[in-house]
Amino acid sequence: MKYDQARWTDDNEDRYEPLLSEKASQTVDIDDSPLPDDLTRDSLSLPDPAEPELARHYTRLSQMNYGVESGPFPLGSCTMKYNPSFTEDVAARADAAIHPDRPDSTTQGTLALCHRLQDYLGRIGGMDAVTLQPPAGAAGEFTGIQIAKAYHEHNDDERSEVIIPDSAHGTNFATAAMAGYDVVELPSGDDGRVDIEALEAAVGDETAALMLTNPNTLGLFERDIEHVADIVHDAGGLLYYDGANLNALLGRARPGDMGFDVMHYNVHKTFATPHGGGGPGAGPVGVREELAQFLPNPHVRERGGNFEHYEPDHSIGKVHGFYGNWPVLLKTFAYIARLGDEGLRDASAKAVLNANYLAEQIEYEVPFGPFHHEFVASAGEQDAADAAKRMLDYGVHPPTTKWPEIVDEALMTEPTEGETKRSLDQLAAAFNAVAGDSDAELADAPSRPTAKRIDQATAARNPRLSWQALDDT
Amino acid sequence: MSNSDSHTTGSPYAPQTAAETATMLEAVGADDLESLFDVPESVAFDGEFGIDARSERAARREVARLLGRNADLTEFLGRGHYDHYVPSVVDDLASRSEFLTSYTQYQPEVAQGFLQALFEFQSMLVELTGLGVANCSMYDDATALGEAATLSQRVRSVSGDRILVPEHLREGKRAVLSNYADGPELTVESYPMTDGVVDVPALTDEIGDDTAMVYAESPTVRGVIEERLSAIGDLAHDHEALFCLGSDPVALSLLERPVDVGADVVVGDAASLGTGTAYGFGLGMFVTREEYLRQVPGRLVGASEDAADRRAYTLTLQTREQHIRKERATSNICTNQAWVALRTAMHAAWLGPDGLVDLAEDCVTRARDLADRLDDIVGVKAPVHGRHHFREFLAHTDQPASAIVADLAAEGFAVHAVGDHLVQVCATETTADATDEFVAALREVAK
Amino acid sequence: MSFDVPDDLRYLESHEWVRVAGDTAAVGITAFAQDELGDVVFVELPEEGAELAAGEDFGVVESIKAVSDVYAPVSGTVTAVNDRLRDEPELLNEDPFGDGWMLEVEVADESEVDDLLSPDAYRDQIE
Ligand SMILES: Cc1ncc(COP(=O)(O)O)c(C=O)c1O
């Protein structure tokens, strides 16, 4: 037996924590319901834990989970920064818990707050109008590309291609395809940035848009951005900004000033709303004036001191059934209102400082530079995924691995502004310890977390996706 | 840095002291923070956003000041967004930071807790629907429906590009579906309904071999329990179209199992368990048959073993997803609604099957009882459709619906206006205590 | 690390192998390819009777973290498919030149075989 965080685990047990269904389950027969029998099911079998048991179950599960408040979480591109507690209280307010179908006259508070957030985000991104509807970054991309499409169609200029650098996030490619575009992948230049010649060769009459992250996923600022914008605009295309990396630039540069026509903000990254184990997030989209007529329906505007929903003239329609992920937007608002100009500027400065400091302290090769909020180290001869597992043994969450592919065995590292120097030194020590470990040590890792290395191949070859699919339940 | 009530200079969540900052700058060979930014002069921003920094207390006060303008209404509202009582234990457990501040489980060894919770969530949906595969969330029911439409394209052997949806469908849901249908060039068409339910003969006329998917809901957006789901399923299958059913976990606890009526995909909003009213914030459920496993959008949690031979969970079949398959991915979704799913699973477990069935039965009887009471009011006829209802129903009012809505708002109540003389009323346990007053208020304004 | 490159096979740059016997050819992926992919978890293959065109993709191999198209070394009609790969995709890792074969094809144009890489040429490519 050993004491494992919170619970005695018998060495002979074949699971870390039984499923709810294994703890307490019940089958209820449905016979005298208020509906005719042919409209109802016969029975329902589900877990039936008493509240004390339920509380222990989820508490135990939480103890087998690592979050930003557990320790450093330098997952590149994900901006896993500290989530201020007070924003949770803000989102839990009773006067925020309203139904979406109320008349505008009864929701002036919510509309006023949305209007203010639209305005804040517009100023931060240098955009003329902002919609809050998209429920995540990828949904923002879809919104933005549908807006680009609507713009071209409005000009009787149908186009078929979206250009995306090879270092871009997978959602960019998937979004363009979802919107019906052919993807033209742009190889990166030797300096890890957009290759101008390749871009010139790629653009043309079919170019609907170029999707770009700046700084890019290597943490590098695209210094030629104005030239890039000219090339795309001269070809009649639009420039789309993937806002995932905006935490690098707050108050230093704005997508609107760089020539971007449409962008999404990734509020669960830049504005510190919690990632919630994979979501929810929110992906507001900002556009230049000329594109405001295509924004999703409805949009919020002010009329004589009152706020109202309205449908933009050539709206693309909707990308969320209602108004998007409202509680997340509320947390975003609270965060921006707390930090203000100075705080936002400072957050970016410290995020960039932390990334540069950490890059300096680690022994792995770190190609390219200068970096902003993140850098991509190379695990060299080591397998990056194995190196990541070994980092778990040193008590920290590893970076994103094996992406972007232009760095071999990539360790994409984004410490965020939330780490102290002491914590960065510990993080660097973990990187360096792993760099010195043998392949065998890496292959056997991790040994310290509750679960040991998990067999991914078996999971995929023989998918068991529910307790019903487990043989032994 | 300090956390006093006056606002602090810089970000209160960036903990470096001035001395540390200086040491770190020296370590990286930079003179000052600004020199770390590799931004050309011509695009540098030297303006201000004009956003004042505030103390935490002042930021909370600002939100309170703004939201204070919302009217305090008792909402008899539904149409896709429902308020059920969420027990405190859900808030308490879900807000544990290990859950709330974690991310997608790319390192399953330190994410077993969330993975197991999502595996349990998927399993609950499998039980509720009888279908083999549930993903661990889409954004909301509308986007889940959009994803179902694109799935129909990938799994269908014969070509077809028509998506048939019911005439009674939330406008917003249809609008989202249209956007998803745009890229793959699908057309979205409505089929008629008669007295609140699907007009099966009319659907028979509409459907053809060019139909890729037929969508139906139960309960419908008007709260009607659909009576001929099997016939709709058969019709779809006769034309090799997918049958997609829209529902929600509370309704599914009582109504016919989707697998028994031939559903190929089940979508809907699951946030009515676990989250309550949140201005349309949702949780898209997506459940389908095992044969479509490789075409499922979004994340899937599977069981496996770890090196200690113990059962362990991991995200699986990720080759479907955007980070691997890029433009050939089944969807572009990355960030999803995992934490909302966690809450839903907690709430469902708290209720247990008997609690869920009770809740669902109450949804039937509350709607019935309230409709009966409204029908007694002069100037009101309810329900409009002589059917079984779930949570909500349509009422006819002699007065214009817009006037009813406005007058009721003045009395502190909200209902939907859905037609010139049609209002829709939703009843759950959260409005039960206010029912008498509501009926009295309606009696006054309906005259 | 050096990988087995059997001398009796011909190869494609995209790491498929072909074993020609008379007018039929067996097709699979090389030891090098399976190593690059890692644990193979799923294989998608055409049906018997399908027509392949040299150089065009005919199937997909998935590992946990990668997806790869598989290309036809020669044109022809599929006469047999290795059904074992459906339940045992790991055969591609364990025995890529043997039990991990993918298809048998009735070769339409034997001259296409001459355009393929020799074992030595393929060895040069992967070293
Ligand atoms: C560079 C980049 N772009 C886009 C996205 C997609 O954002 P989301 O996960 O919010 O959909 C991400 C997030 O993972 C990202 O890192």
Side-chain angles (χ1 to χ4, degrees):
Chain A
M1 303 262 281
K2 70 169 188 281
Y3 187 69
D4 168 18
Q5 291 172 0
R7 175 175 167 272
W8 289 92
T9 311
D10 189 320
D11 283 342
N12 300 320
E13 275 181 46
D14 64 355
R15 64 207 63 176
Y16 293 100
E17 185 66 16
L19 289 159
L20 270 175
S21 56
E22 294 164 334
K23 290 180 174 174
S25 229
Q26 195 201 340
T27 300
V28 177
D29 290 324
I30 295 168
D31 17 50
D32 41 40
S33 93
L35 292 174
D37 279 352
D38 62 345
L39 292 184
T40 67
R41 57 192 296 144
D42 298 334
S43 66
L44 183 66
S45 300
L46 281 172
D48 190 27
E51 186 170 316
E53 206 176 1
L54 181 88
R56 283 203 184 137
H57 181 73
Y58 285 106
T59 299
R60 167 67 181 152
L61 293 189
S62 76
Q63 287 163 335
M64 295 193 288
N65 224 61
Y66 189 101
V68 172
E69 291 186 16
S70 312
F73 210 134
L75 199 63
S77 208
C78 300
T79 317
M80 299 299 292
K81 57 162 109 171
Y82 174 72
N83 312 120
S85 292
F86 88 98
T87 63
E88 294 304 313
D89 287 335
V90 163
R93 291 181 62 88
D95 52 10
I98 61 169
H99 193 283
D101 283 354
R102 282 181 176 209
D104 286 353
S105 62
T106 69
T107 63
Q108 286 297 300
T110 293
L111 293 174
L113 193 143
C114 289
H115 190 262
R116 186 90 85 74
L117 182 56
Q118 289 174 185
D119 176 55
Y120 279 177
L121 292 174
R123 296 189 211 185
I124 291 168
M127 289 286 155
D128 297 319
V130 176
T131 174
L132 305 177
Q133 199 178 102
E141 293 171 23
F142 182 59
T143 306
I145 294 301
Q146 287 292 98
I147 288 174
K149 193 184 204 176
Y151 163 83
H152 292 304
E153 282 171 5
H154 187 72
N155 296 337
D156 288 325
D157 181 18
E158 278 193 40
R159 290 167 173 249
S160 62
E161 294 172 356
V162 170
I163 304 175
I164 304 171
D166 56 4
S167 63
H169 195 254
T171 50
N172 291 187
F173 301 90
T175 296
M178 225 170 110
Y181 285 106
D182 295 331
V183 171
V184 179
E185 187 167 316
L186 199 62
S188 299
D190 292 340
D191 62 352
R193 296 174 175 83
V194 171
D195 179 336
I196 295 289
E197 275 175 33
L199 177 63
E200 277 169 339
V203 297
D205 292 348
E206 292 301 328
T207 305
L210 167 68
M211 299 178 84
L212 209 61
T213 314
N214 195 16
N216 66 20
T217 59
L218 294 163
L220 312 174
F221 195 87
E222 298 284 356
R223 295 188 59 91
D224 289 334
I225 187 61
E226 291 166 291
H227 191 186
V228 167
D230 286 345
I231 293 170
V232 175
H233 289 150
D234 287 349
L238 296 181
L239 202 56
Y240 181 90
Y241 182 82
D242 174 340
N245 294 344
L246 193 61
N247 201 44
L249 292 181
L250 295 170
R252 305 308 188 301
R254 305 190 305 172
D257 302 334
M258 296 177 213
F260 286 93
D261 304 291
V262 48
M263 69 174 287
H264 80 260
Y265 303 78
N266 197 309
V267 308
H268 39 297
K269 301 179 190 214
T270 312
F271 304 113
T273 70
H275 286 62
V285 165
V287 294
R288 275 195 298 112
E289 185 70 55
E290 195 187 351
L291 299 175
Q293 56 186 322
F294 305 110
L295 285 173
N297 178 36
H299 196 62
V300 179
R301 71 179 167 201
E302 189 185 347
R303 280 284 153 100
N306 286 321
F307 299 91
E308 63 182 22
H309 280 131
Y310 77 102
E311 178 167 3
D313 286 346
H314 302 285
S315 172
I316 60 160
K318 289 179 72 67
V319 293
H320 183 271
F322 296 95
Y323 306 123
N325 282 344
W326 159 245
V328 180
L329 297 166
L330 201 47
K331 294 177 200 184
T332 306
F333 177 84
Y335 179 82
I336 296 174
R338 169 90 170 97
L339 266 65
D341 268 272
E342 290 168 47
L344 294 170
R345 284 177 63 86
D346 189 51
S348 278
K350 300 295 170 51
V352 173
L353 175 65
N354 276 3
N356 279 277
Y357 178 73
L358 184 60
E360 198 63 39
Q361 307 303 311
I362 69 173
E363 284 157 22
Y364 287 115
E365 189 205 342
V366 186
F368 306 115
F371 306 108
H372 288 82
H373 64 301
E374 69 189 358
F375 61 87
V376 183
S378 170
E381 296 297 305
Q382 293 180 338
D383 182 290
D386 287 344
K389 297 296 178 206
R390 185 67 176 145
M391 286 190 74
L392 298 173
D393 283 338
Y394 295 99
V396 298
H397 197 285
T400 298
T401 59
K402 304 217 174 198
W403 180 72
E405 282 143 15
I406 49 179
V407 173
D408 273 345
E409 300 301 332
L411 296 168
M412 184 196 214
T413 312
E414 181 181 13
T416 82
E417 69 272 23
E419 304 301 323
T420 60
K421 175 173 174 296
R422 185 162 164 271
S423 147
L424 293 171
D425 289 337
Q426 285 169 348
L427 198 48
F431 270 90
N432 295 338
V434 174
D437 283 338
S438 69
D439 282 350
E441 283 167 310
L442 266 52
D444 286 345
S447 60
R448 278 190 50 197
T450 306
K452 308 303 170 254
R453 182 80 70 104
I454 293 166
D455 180 354
Q456 303 285 332
T458 299
R461 283 174 186 155
N462 174 22
R464 292 174 300 164
L465 308 176
S466 61
W467 59 54
Q468 293 86 343
L470 296 174
D471 317 327
D472 51 356
T473 44
Chain B
M1 192 205 68
S2 82
N3 278 319
S4 70
D5 185 47
S6 62
H7 97 265
T8 46
T9 306
S11 168
Y13 316 113
Q16 304 76 359
T17 63
E20 279 169 358
T21 301
T23 313
M24 290 162 73
L25 281 170
E26 199 180 318
V28 303
D31 295 338
D32 56 19
L33 288 169
E34 293 316 311
S35 65
L36 294 172
F37 292 89
D38 183 32
V39 177
E41 195 85 35
S42 55
V43 294
F45 175 67
D46 53 11
E48 296 272 325
F49 302 144
I51 304 171
D52 290 336
R54 293 173 179 83
S55 70
E56 179 176 309
R57 198 163 66 92
R60 290 181 64 163
R61 222 170 33 225
E62 180 62 7
V63 173
R65 191 184 65 79
L66 288 167
L67 291 184
R69 293 180 64 182
N70 283 342
D72 186 11
L73 297 181
T74 303
E75 299 169 334
F76 286 79
L77 299 172
R79 289 183 68 84
H81 191 66
Y82 302 105
D83 196 20
H84 287 296
Y85 174 72
V86 180
S88 297
V89 72
V90 170
D91 283 328
D92 189 23
L93 295 171
S95 52
R96 290 184 66 90
S97 72
E98 299 89 337
F99 287 136
L100 187 64
T101 74
S102 66
Y103 192 40
T104 307
Q105 298 74 23
Y106 295 127
Q107 298 293 341
E109 292 82 2
V110 290
Q112 282 301 293
F114 220 120
L115 285 164
Q116 182 169 333
L118 292 173
F119 184 84
E120 292 171 347
F121 169 77
Q122 292 175 179
S123 305
M124 290 173 182
L125 294 185
V126 166
E127 167 63 20
L128 285 168
T129 59
L131 299 176
V133 180
N135 78 10
C136 65
S137 73
M138 314 264 48
Y139 306 129
D140 71 343
D141 61 346
T143 55
L145 174 59
E147 296 279 10
T150 62
L151 175 109
S152 77
Q153 286 307 286
R154 298 192 297 271
V155 304
R156 229 175 94 98
S157 43
V158 255
S159 63
D161 57 8
R162 289 166 71 214
I163 306 292
L164 302 185
V165 301
E167 179 191 345
H168 301 161
L169 181 65
R170 223 192 130 82
E171 210 180 302
K173 201 181 282 186
R174 193 183 156 129
V176 173
L177 173 63
S178 297
N179 261 322
Y180 276 71
D182 184 54
E185 298 184 354
L186 304 172
T187 54
V188 180
E189 293 169 29
S190 293
Y191 59 82
M193 300 184 81
T194 301
D195 197 17
V197 294
V198 173
D199 183 336
V200 176
L203 176 59
T204 311
D205 292 341
E206 289 287 328
I207 201 169
D209 289 342
D210 54 358
T211 303
M213 186 174 95
V214 177
Y215 177 62
E217 297 183 333
S218 185
T220 68
V221 65
R222 295 181 166 187
V224 175
I225 296 170
E226 188 57 61
E227 289 158 21
R228 298 192 59 196
L229 290 173
S230 293
I232 300 167
D234 289 346
L235 203 49
H237 295 151
D238 286 347
H239 295 273
E240 286 187 54
L242 287 192
F243 175 30
C244 178
L245 176 66
S247 194
D248 72 83
V250 179
L252 289 172
S253 301
L254 179 63
L255 303 185
E256 292 173 276
R257 282 200 317 164
V259 69
D260 296 333
V261 298
D264 300 296
V265 187
V266 176
V267 298
D269 180 64
S272 53
L273 280 181
T275 298
T277 308
Y279 203 47
F281 179 58
L283 168 60
M285 58 172 184
F286 192 99
V287 199
T288 189
R289 296 180 184 278
E290 248 170 297
E291 57 191 289
Y292 305 139
L293 176 60
R294 291 189 175 274
Q295 295 301 336
V296 168
R299 298 190 182 123
L300 294 167
V301 178
S304 185
E305 276 78 43
D306 73 354
D309 294 329
R310 292 198 178 161
R311 187 202 291 158
Y313 307 91
T314 179
L315 294 177
T316 193
L317 302 169
Q318 293 186 61
T319 46
R320 298 165 298 108
E321 293 184 64
Q322 45 75 29
H323 59 288
I324 296 178
R325 228 187 190 96
K326 298 167 82 174
E327 64 270 26
R328 288 156 73 184
T330 52
S331 167
N332 72 341
I333 192 169
C334 177
T335 292
N336 58 15
Q337 304 282 111
W339 187 70
V340 194
L342 172 73
R343 298 180 63 103
T344 298
M346 287 175 173
H347 192 177
W350 184 79
L351 287 165
D354 46 358
L356 276 165
V357 172
D358 280 351
L359 178 60
E361 291 180 347
D362 283 352
C363 288
V364 175
T365 50
R366 281 184 207 285
R368 181 182 297 172
D369 294 348
L370 184 57
D372 284 349
R373 290 183 68 179
L374 299 196
D375 200 43
D376 287 342
I377 295 176
V378 178
V380 179
K381 279 183 54 153
V384 168
H385 301 303
R387 304 283 172 189
H388 298 286
H389 288 85
F390 200 87
R391 294 192 191 100
E392 55 194 328
F393 55 89
L394 225 53
H396 182 277
T397 56
D398 292 347
Q399 297 290 335
S402 55
I404 298 274
V405 167
D407 292 350
L408 278 175
E411 299 299 319
F413 297 101
V415 299
H416 304 271
V418 292
D420 290 347
H421 290 271
L422 289 176
V423 298
Q424 189 165 330
V425 183
C426 179
T428 72
E429 66 282 8
T430 62
T431 47
D433 292 346
T435 307
D436 290 345
E437 288 166 52
F438 169 68
V439 172
L442 185 60
R443 184 169 289 123
E444 285 308 307
V445 305
K447 281 189 205 144
Chain C
M1 196 154 150
S2 99
F3 292 95
D4 194 18
V5 179
D7 280 323
D8 57 334
L9 308 180
R10 303 298 289 264
Y11 300 89
L12 271 187
E13 259 174 49
S14 49
H15 310 290
E16 293 79 5
W17 56 258
V18 59
R19 180 183 288 120
V20 185
D23 60 358
T24 63
V27 178
I29 64 167
T30 65
F32 175 85
Q34 66 78 28
D35 185 74
E36 287 281 293
L37 280 164
D39 291 332
V40 173
V41 297
F42 182 69
V43 183
E44 192 182 300
L45 295 174
E47 310 259 308
E48 244 174 72
E51 295 293 332
L52 305 188
E56 291 195 357
D57 58 296
F58 68 78
V60 179
V61 179
E62 292 186 18
S63 63
I64 301 155
K65 295 252 154 81
V67 182
S68 194
D69 289 329
V70 204
Y71 297 89
V74 290
S75 308
T77 311
V78 177
T79 53
V81 178
N82 185 357
D83 282 330
R84 282 181 69 192
L85 294 179
R86 247 178 265 284
D87 294 327
E88 299 171 84
E90 58 271 25
L91 290 174
L92 277 187
N93 295 115
E94 291 161 4
D95 190 7
F97 299 110
D99 287 345
W101 66 278
M102 298 174 120
L103 303 173
E104 261 175 27
V105 182
E106 190 181 301
V107 180
D109 175 2
E110 280 173 39
S111 72
E112 283 175 1
V113 177
D114 301 333
D115 300 337
L116 300 172
L117 297 179
S118 68
D120 279 339
Y122 182 64
R123 236 172 251 130
D124 282 348
Q125 184 197 322
I126 63 175
E127 257 149 34

